[in-house]
Amino acid sequence: MADLVDLERFRRKLMADKAFSSWLKRFQEQFGPETRLQDLSAATLLYLATPGEENLYALFDLVMGAMGLGGSVRFRLDDLEAGTKLRIMDTAFALVDRLRFEVMRRLGWVESLPQEETPLIALVQEAWRQGGEFARALPELSPSHPDFPAYSRLNALDRRVFLRRLIPKAVAAYRQQVEGA
């Protein structure tokens, strides 16, 4: 049994090495099979949560590496089937949401995140497997947030919209916090 556990650990390590290879160069940080959203440095989280094409390609690298599809160069060169590219984009966008909710968690705007203890590689795999269902899992706004009274009166669907509308303000506030420090 110990041999099986070691083999599984080795596989996770190989997968993480592939998935994080471009991140190691880009962010000059260490990432591994157990790296979670909450383990990301403030600067890395800010970069990944900020809208932008290059930021999104960093997530494509993670998704493609974790799923054994190479790196984002293949995506840019149009070396993938349309369905695979769509799945990569869907998975990356779901991860962007989780990254932005992590920003909100660090600001104290949300209580906790769905699967916050789950390593990034496992989140990628789950988002890949579940598709749109993965993106439906959202945190709850913190009762200490100034807009909580308005949020609490909304139905579940409107709460989702409400939370998403807070994202630009959250990223801006986090940028100010990180760059002001």
Side-chain angles (χ1 to χ4, degrees):
M1 185 68 173
D3 291 335
L4 292 176
V5 172
D6 289 342
L7 183 58
E8 184 58 33
R9 183 178 301 142
F10 179 73
R11 286 183 181 147
R12 284 196 320 267
K13 169 102 173 76
L14 282 178
M15 184 181 300
D17 288 348
K18 288 179 187 175
F20 289 122
S21 65
S22 73
W23 283 29
L24 293 169
K25 295 174 204 152
R26 181 185 309 261
F27 300 119
Q28 304 291 306
E29 295 176 32
Q30 292 299 309
F31 305 98
E34 301 305 318
T35 300
R36 303 163 301 170
L37 289 172
Q38 61 196 15
D39 298 327
L40 298 176
S41 72
T44 296
L45 178 61
L46 179 60
Y47 179 86
L48 294 169
T50 300
E53 187 175 338
E54 287 305 311
N55 312 42
L56 191 57
Y57 277 107
L59 289 170
F60 288 177
D61 278 329
L62 176 69
V63 171
M64 293 175 72
M67 300 313 297
L69 299 170
S72 65
V73 171
R74 286 190 68 201
F75 192 95
R76 292 178 198 240
L77 295 175
D78 208 19
D79 185 32
L80 298 163
E81 294 179 18
T84 302
K85 285 180 86 169
L86 184 59
R87 207 157 172 197
I88 291 166
M89 290 189 304
D90 287 346
T91 303
F93 289 133
L95 291 173
V96 167
D97 278 351
R98 293 290 174 97
L99 289 159
R100 291 174 177 165
F101 294 141
E102 173 63 15
V103 163
M104 295 170 93
R105 187 193 66 75
R106 290 186 188 189
L107 290 170
W109 292 16
V110 296
E111 290 295 300
S112 62
L113 300 182
Q115 304 156 306
E116 68 181 28
E117 294 299 321
T118 304
L120 270 166
I121 299 300
L123 286 177
V124 168
Q125 293 170 327
E126 198 166 323
W128 185 270
R129 237 183 353 265
Q130 290 183 356
E133 194 61 36
F134 180 86
R136 288 186 186 91
L138 299 178
E140 292 288 326
L141 192 66
S142 172
S144 64
H145 191 278
D147 294 329
F148 185 78
Y151 171 84
S152 65
R153 290 189 296 271
L154 299 172
N155 66 40
L157 187 57
D158 289 338
R159 284 181 177 194
R160 300 169 80 76
V161 173
F162 189 96
L163 267 179
R164 291 187 188 286
R165 285 188 179 153
L166 289 176
I167 288 173
K169 289 179 190 173
V171 173
Y174 193 66
R175 176 178 306 286
Q176 187 173 5
Q177 180 181 341
V178 169
E179 292 176 352

